[in-house]
Amino acid sequence: MTFSRRGLVSRLSRTIFALAAFGALGVASAQTGKPVKLMVGFPPGGGTDAIARILAERLKDELGVPVIVENKPGAGGQIAAQALKAAPADGTTYFLSHDHTITILPMVTKNPGFAPATDFMPVAGFATFVNAFAVSGGTPAKSFNEYVNWVRTQGNGKGSVGVPAPASTPEFLVKLIGEKYKLDLVAAPYRGSAPMMADMLGNQIAAGVASVPDFIENHKAGKVRVVGVLGDKRQAAMPDVPTFAELGLAGFEDMPYYGIFAPAGTPKATVDQFSAAVAKAIAMPEVREKLTAMGLTVGYMTPQQLAAREQAYAQVWARIIKNSGFQPQ
């Protein structure tokens, strides 16, 4: 078969165009065989780590390359966020985070080392959740009001409550609970929920505030007791636990979120491809069931929707932080 010069040039042009379009899809990791890193800002064993591993298992099938969860714990996710800022914007590095690192840290830290609006690109939101107040197994209280009375009688109104990170929403909640019930409650910050949970299981600390996913398994096993949840309604995973609004502490109905972020400058097509993979992963019944059982409300958010969700959440917490009198540190 023979080709004219013009036909050969036309075919060559179409081939080059097709290759360029394929590259624009942002599948750099698939082309090079490099795995995708999904960073988590907390230690292995916590709720966020477990969520990341559930998603990574399915994302590797959707993307066609290994997806490796990389834990970079420290400073409430700050170390992982700084690592994301420094990572190449080539579609091989992502950050799975909840509201604390993305929204709260920049408002309570003078020099966080990153600015989400300029250093990160929203990729996909996949769930909302609520924080919860739990007591350890060694604490006799079976309800939140019993805990309050126990602190008053056994601790002379003084008590320590574990939180997964300093200057976090759980810490502000501890402060407001203390003010509401006239208790001298001190937030004890940990390097993530896993070490906090270890101390609660060992009865080294009587109570803690963290996300429902952090508590759910030990609550079901009877090793800790969740006695109050935030949000505008009771949680399906623990329907007998009242909301704080029911307990008389309103103002915490806005639900925090989980999302995935990429370094600024990552090609839009790359972000869109990864976002679509997240949407497919959380639509799988087995994934949705696992995440729901952990206390998450599963729902896909596009990059634009995730950005809007973060901005709305930031407005709520900016007022709470300002009214608390907290000064960035």
Side-chain angles (χ1 to χ4, degrees), residues 37 39 70 72 80-95 119-120 261-266:
K37 290 192 299 184
M39 293 193 299
E70 184 174 287
K72 286 186 174 293
Q82 291 173 349
L84 182 71
K85 176 183 176 180
D90 61 358
T92 61
T93 306
Y94 296 87
F95 179 35
D119 295 328
F120 303 156
F261 300 83
T266 302

Side-chain angles (χ1 to χ4, degrees), residues 146-230:
E146 286 184 12
Y147 168 79
V148 169
N149 292 331
W150 179 74
V151 172
R152 284 176 177 157
T153 57
Q154 301 298 314
N156 296 318
K158 297 182 179 181
S160 295
V161 181
V163 297
S168 57
T169 53
E171 180 169 329
F172 289 112
L173 179 61
V174 171
K175 182 178 187 297
L176 290 173
I177 289 173
E179 293 173 353
K180 167 73 175 178
Y181 295 95
K182 295 180 172 55
L183 300 175
D184 184 8
L185 296 181
V186 177
Y190 285 80
R191 289 171 58 88
S193 60
M196 183 193 80
M197 184 61 63
D199 274 4
M200 289 186 69
L201 294 175
N203 294 313
Q204 299 301 306
I205 193 164
V209 178
S211 70
V212 168
D214 290 323
F215 287 129
I216 188 70
E217 291 303 321
N218 287 305
H219 172 78
K220 289 180 177 179
K223 297 178 181 179
V224 303
R225 292 184 292 277
V226 175
V227 294
V229 296
L230 281 71

